[in-house]
Amino acid sequence: MKYKNIISLFALLFATTMLFAQADDWGASDEDKAVQLQVEFNKMNINGGKALFNTHCKACHGELGAGKPILPNATDLGSEEFNKTHTDGLIHYKLINGKGAMPSFQGTISDEEMWKVIAFIRSNYEAYEPPAEIAAPVEASSGGGDMFQGDISKIEFSVDEESGKLSAKVIGKNAEGQSVLAAGVPLEFRVVGYFGDLPLNKDGKTDEKGEINFDFPKDLPSDTAGIIDLYAAIPESAGYGNHQSEIVNAQMGEKLNWIPPLSKRSLWGPMRNIPLWLLFTYLGITGFVWLGIFYVVFQLFKIWMLRER
Amino acid sequence: MANNSEKNSPLIMAKIRKDLLSPIVNHKGAGLWMGFLLTGLALFFWGYIIQLKEGLVVTGMRDYVSWGMYIANFVFFVAVSLIGMLLSAVLGLLNIKWVKPITRIAEIIALAFVMIAGLVIIIDMGRPDRFLYIFFHGRLQSPILWDVTVITTYIVISLLLLILPLLPDLGIMKKYMKDDVPKWQWNLYNILSLGWANTPNQYKILHKSVRVLMILIIPVALGIHTVTSWLFASTLRPGWDTTIFGPYFVTGAFVSGVAAVIIAMYFFRNNYKLKYYLTDFHFERMGRLLVLVSLVYLYFNINEFLVPGYKMKTMDAHHLHTIFTGEYAWMFWLTQIFGLILPIIVTITKWGRKPGPLMITSIFVVVGAWFKRYIIVIPTLIHAHLPIQNVPHNFKEYMPTGLEITLTVGTIFMALIIITMLAKLFPILPMWEIAEEEGVDVQKDLLK
């Protein structure tokens, strides 16, 4: 009995040690760990990283540096401990591969976006020293030219209902405070929906004239009046902050032929739409029984008519 | 024989009159009993006023368990009321002679319980002033409206089925009781008798009408409890989502109803001194009937619990574990064993069908039947149909409050008050039918 206890205690200790040893081992090679930040450590990338962090990371890891991860096993990514023990490459490796409850983000966000997230995490760690030079910058997503640096002031959005052409022009302010056409700005055309908006294009960027065009897919359903609500927006992850155009109500798309479910006779509808079989069954049975009752009441009356006078 | 009974007819009639009408005049003990019942009624009103003022928050009901003890009690009342149909209509139409003296007791119980059943629903409403909304805004697609319809219809038919066979008796009382009862009471008999003159034509109409009612009440009574079961079975919730709920409720109703009538028979036999009319033979027959309906109910219970218990579908399993081995296991097994299985075993024996033991068994059956309704209504509601986060703790369990229990007991008192008053105003056994069984030519001799 005693031996058994001691053996099981050792077995338990062994298993626990293994578990902890494993918990730290994500399988990253030294080569992986040596990789440095592959986007510029600037305000725009950090802002973009913040937007991505809020969408993809915060639900488990919680606010950076708050020390209160939502999932008990998740790490506070703003802690000194985390930032000290992790190279840029290791964080990147973990984002790509995932482990256990931490999912892989490959395919969910682009490589460029992963680096932006890392830039954002690092922005919260004062001791971080960004690489002096980007050794191997990630390939920027398709689109024209260099990305506009500065503040966005306006998105002009227009719709040609006839041809189904959507076009947008982005106007920004450069470092000198002059209004310029912003080139190389990622831009999405979106349809307003009940539960979140639907992006129509992917990886689109403005050209040198600050413009971008897109052909509206004609088979997209519009509402019962044939109206569809559209707008153009710069994704927050681009790092410019939150910018979108006015919403345009366009007569486009395939008009939805929607019959409200309550308009037909149904068990769930209002009383006036009661199924006829149910109405007649109810009236038939109830009417028949009450006819019988009235018959008996009439018989009572007849008995009373035969009373002693 | 005919000669003999013809000669003895006046004597027989005199004895029946003396035996059955004396409880109406003799008030010994009645005051105490009514005082007890009225005290209970006063307690009920006190509690109900608190509930009206504070709302249903004074009960144990919350968002999950929104049908609590009141609705379980409602189902119990509807169940017991079904006995009127079984005894006076089914056995009556089969022309089974021994049931004749019992029919009026059954009808009185049926009427009292179905009337209070309707009242229990109003007690269960936090805003009883909105009761009429069911007529203004009700949807015929909803079983609740069918239930309102069928309960109202059953009340009317039960009332007629009580009054019609009472007419010849009222004729007798009008004739013989003028000096024995207060004037208002005699006036009541006079009006209710509809001028009963014992003529052959009146009898002809009476027999025809009773027959129509007996046929009508069978589908209506089946309807009242089937629709009550549909209030549950037309949902998708585990424990209620079952196809046999209609017959399961109806057979269960017969068990509780037969037991309730046996208790009433025993009480009236002893207190009204009716040993000559409610004999051991009647108890023996009622005992057999109890075994029969209990066996049918047991069969339905096995189907109701064994079949889903064998499959244990995920949603059903939560519910079934709660009642088989969980929180409600004690109540479930006590009701099944002491309310159903043991009563069957005891009543199968000849000794078990003697008045005394049968009455004790019936009490177990009735109490078991009440708790069985509790098992049907509450455990299903404890498991939320849709998961909700951060639910307050008191949503997840249900314990009836003292006030809720007081009001529930109060409704039972109300039913007893109705039964007592009817049994105090009218002969508890049909005098003319008993006379007929004794060989009296009622059309000739009844009012002599």
Side-chain angles (χ1 to χ4, degrees):
Chain A
M1 194 63 201
K2 232 178 191 172
Y3 280 112
K4 236 185 189 171
N5 278 344
I6 291 166
I7 288 169
S8 37
L9 191 70
F10 270 103
L12 192 71
L13 263 174
F14 181 69
T16 328
T17 326
M18 284 291 288
L19 214 68
F20 274 106
Q22 253 188 341
D24 266 352
D25 184 14
W26 291 60
S29 66
D30 289 345
E31 209 175 309
D32 294 323
K33 288 180 189 169
V35 181
Q36 286 195 298
L37 196 65
Q38 293 190 3
V39 292
E40 275 192 56
F41 189 68
N42 61 16
K43 190 184 141 201
M44 256 179 65
N45 283 340
I46 290 169
N47 277 348
K50 183 179 181 183
L52 289 160
F53 180 89
N54 286 345
T55 314
H56 298 289
C57 318
K58 202 174 158 185
C60 297
H61 290 281
E63 202 86 51
L64 273 195
K68 279 188 275 184
I70 313 293
L71 273 196
N73 285 339
T75 317
D76 175 9
L77 301 178
S79 70
E80 195 173 347
E81 158 92 32
F82 174 81
N83 279 286
K84 239 188 218 164
T85 51
H86 284 67
T87 63
D88 295 344
L90 182 56
I91 305 176
H92 184 241
Y93 179 88
K94 288 186 172 184
L95 278 170
I96 289 178
N97 292 289
K99 183 169 174 278
M102 166 76 183
S104 157
F105 281 90
Q106 201 164 30
T108 310
I109 56 176
S110 70
D111 205 36
E112 187 193 4
E113 287 171 326
M114 288 189 199
W115 287 113
K116 283 184 180 179
V117 171
I118 296 167
F120 170 64
I121 292 171
R122 292 308 198 195
S123 72
N124 207 50
Y125 178 54
E126 278 173 28
Y128 179 66
E129 280 175 34
E133 181 180 339
I134 308 296
V138 282
E139 195 124 332
S141 323
S142 66
D146 285 333
M147 214 165 155
F148 168 75
Q149 303 290 322
D151 293 332
I152 303 293
S153 45
K154 199 179 178 192
I155 304 171
E156 282 172 7
F157 172 54
S158 63
V159 179
D160 184 5
E161 291 181 358
E162 290 280 296
S163 62
K165 197 155 265 18
L166 313 177
S167 39
K169 192 190 258 181
V170 180
I171 298 160
K173 267 195 188 116
N174 63 12
E176 289 83 45
Q178 291 163 317
S179 258
V180 288
L181 298 168
V185 178
L187 191 125
E188 277 179 4
F189 294 105
R190 295 181 189 157
V191 175
V192 178
Y194 278 127
F195 305 104
D197 298 344
L198 172 74
L200 294 174
N201 60 329
K202 219 185 154 194
D203 300 335
K205 290 192 171 185
T206 53
D207 57 16
E208 316 83 64
K209 289 188 222 150
E211 283 179 7
I212 179 170
N213 295 307
F214 185 73
D215 286 326
F216 179 80
K218 292 213 162 61
D219 56 351
L220 207 69
S222 54
D223 66 11
T224 48
I227 303 283
I228 200 157
D229 298 341
L230 296 155
Y231 67 93
I234 300 170
E236 217 186 330
S237 57
Y240 294 102
N242 214 346
H243 295 282
Q244 64 178 59
S245 72
E246 302 270 300
I247 292 174
V248 174
N249 317 116
Q251 188 90 31
M252 281 163 93
E254 264 182 26
K255 191 171 162 181
L256 181 70
N257 185 21
W258 187 70
I259 302 155
L262 288 186
S263 67
K264 286 193 219 157
R265 293 196 176 276
S266 66
L267 284 175
W268 54 86
M271 173 72 176
R272 68 189 141 79
N273 283 339
I274 182 174
L276 287 175
W277 65 265
L278 181 61
L279 181 67
F280 289 124
T281 310
Y282 175 86
L283 290 179
I285 294 174
T286 314
F288 178 77
V289 172
W290 277 89
L291 264 182
I293 292 175
F294 288 131
Y295 169 80
V296 171
V297 172
F298 178 65
Q299 298 305 307
L300 283 177
F301 174 73
K302 267 165 74 180
I303 288 178
W304 183 71
M305 291 300 284
L306 292 169
R307 69 191 181 277
E308 295 171 274
R309 300 185 195 237
Chain B
M1 201 53 189
N3 245 345
N4 190 23
S5 55
E6 204 169 301
K7 212 170 85 191
N8 289 335
S9 281
L11 279 175
I12 295 170
M13 278 316 298
K15 177 176 164 51
I16 291 175
R17 277 203 303 273
K18 181 174 162 289
D19 288 347
L20 287 171
L21 295 181
S22 61
I24 296 174
V25 189
N26 173 15
H27 297 298
K28 209 177 118 193
L32 202 65
W33 172 241
M34 271 313 269
F36 169 66
L37 291 180
L38 288 175
T39 312
L41 192 67
L43 264 175
F44 167 86
F45 278 114
W46 169 73
Y48 189 62
I49 286 167
I50 293 177
Q51 184 182 301
L52 269 185
K53 267 195 199 150
E54 309 281 324
L56 285 181
V57 74
V58 295
T59 70
M61 290 186 278
R62 292 295 180 269
D63 286 37
Y64 278 11
V65 180
S66 51
W67 282 3
M69 187 183 258
Y70 292 157
I71 296 294
N73 194 38
F74 162 74
V75 178
F76 171 78
F77 272 88
V78 175
V80 173
S81 78
L82 238 64
I83 191 59
M85 173 274 254
L86 178 68
L87 285 188
S88 54
V90 177
L91 298 187
L93 284 172
L94 290 171
N95 217 1
I96 288 168
K97 293 264 192 302
W98 61 263
V99 85
K100 280 208 171 142
I102 306 168
T103 51
R104 187 164 295 157
I105 296 179
E107 276 308 326
I108 286 176
I109 287 178
L111 186 66
F113 274 76
V114 76
M115 281 167 79
I116 301 302
L119 203 66
V120 170
I121 291 296
I122 297 177
I123 295 168
D124 187 52
M125 296 174 75
R127 293 287 303 266
D129 51 307
R130 292 182 182 169
F131 173 71
L132 287 178
Y133 284 14
I134 190 131
F135 300 107
F136 304 144
H137 309 295
R139 293 164 60 254
L140 270 185
Q141 290 101 315
S142 160
I144 287 182
L145 213 63
W146 313 342
D147 212 35
V148 172
T149 311
V150 77
I151 286 183
T152 316
T153 310
Y154 189 72
I155 291 178
V156 173
I157 298 184
S158 295
L159 194 64
L160 286 172
L161 207 48
L162 179 66
I163 285 177
L164 271 165
L166 204 58
L167 290 179
D169 285 0
L170 284 166
I172 300 172
M173 293 157 81
K174 181 176 63 173
K175 189 169 157 77
Y176 291 99
M177 293 188 83
K178 197 162 186 171
D179 303 329
D180 300 332
V181 295
K183 187 138 181 64
W184 66 266
Q185 202 171 342
W186 185 85
N187 284 338
L188 181 73
Y189 297 148
N190 191 23
I191 293 165
L192 283 180
S193 74
L194 298 175
W196 187 261
N198 220 35
T199 66
N201 270 341
Q202 281 184 328
Y203 270 107
K204 219 168 118 190
I205 297 170
L206 176 69
H207 282 299
K208 200 163 69 180
S209 305
V210 169
R211 209 172 164 74
V212 168
L213 285 177
M214 279 175 168
I215 294 165
L216 266 187
I217 201 174
I218 294 174
V220 173
L222 286 177
I224 177 177
H225 218 36
T226 307
V227 172
T228 304
S229 82
W230 287 348
L231 296 180
F232 302 91
S234 56
T235 70
L236 290 167
R237 308 195 66 141
W240 294 351
D241 180 15
T242 138
T243 53
I244 66 162
F245 238 37
Y248 176 60
F249 269 43
V250 169
T251 49
F254 288 157
V255 175
S256 47
V258 170
V261 167
I262 290 171
I263 297 169
M265 277 166 66
Y266 187 87
F267 176 84
F268 287 124
R269 172 176 137 120
N270 282 3
N271 287 275
Y272 281 18
K273 305 194 170 50
L274 300 173
K275 281 207 173 66
Y276 179 75
Y277 307 95
L278 296 173
T279 61
D280 286 8
F281 175 73
H282 290 104
F283 281 88
E284 130 84 15
R285 288 290 137 150
M286 285 300 281
R288 285 179 186 214
L289 191 62
L290 183 63
V291 174
L292 174 70
V293 291
S294 297
L295 282 173
V296 177
Y297 189 47
L298 181 65
Y299 168 71
F300 273 98
N301 265 288
I302 291 167
N303 275 280
E304 173 64 16
F305 292 107
L306 187 76
V307 175
Y310 187 87
K311 293 179 285 191
M312 282 291 180
K313 285 188 277 188
T314 318
M315 283 294 276
D316 285 348
H318 277 298
H319 170 70
L320 290 173
H321 285 312
T322 311
I323 56 174
F324 287 167
T325 52
E327 202 184 331
Y328 283 91
W330 63 274
M331 199 188 276
F332 177 78
W333 292 113
L334 280 181
T335 55
Q336 293 291 16
I337 293 167
F338 287 93
L340 193 57
I341 295 169
L342 282 182
I344 293 174
I345 294 170
V346 171
T347 317
I348 276 177
T349 65
K350 214 174 163 101
W351 174 82
R353 294 195 296 273
K354 283 184 189 302
L358 188 61
M359 196 272 291
I360 304 282
T361 311
S362 295
I363 289 175
F364 274 93
V365 171
V366 168
V367 173
W370 192 93
F371 279 100
K372 188 66 193 296
R373 301 320 182 264
Y374 194 90
I375 292 278
I376 288 173
V377 176
I378 284 114
T380 288
L381 287 168
I382 288 186
H383 308 291
H385 197 40
L386 292 169
I388 313 171
Q389 288 183 333
N390 301 325
V391 176
H393 183 69
N394 61 5
F395 282 20
K396 292 186 194 163
E397 54 185 36
Y398 170 73
M399 183 53 73
T401 58
L403 192 117
E404 219 171 338
I405 296 168
T406 310
L407 293 198
T408 302
V409 174
T411 57
I412 294 168
F413 272 55
M414 284 188 209
L416 290 177
I417 287 172
I418 295 180
I419 294 170
T420 307
M421 276 168 49
L422 288 174
K424 236 17 236 174
L425 279 175
F426 305 109
I428 195 69
L429 308 182
M431 295 193 286
W432 64 282
E433 283 179 296
I434 290 173
E436 211 168 36
E437 291 300 306
E438 300 271 339
V440 176
D441 184 354
V442 289
Q443 293 190 17
K444 232 171 75 196
D445 295 329
L446 199 60
L447 297 185
K448 254 186 193 164

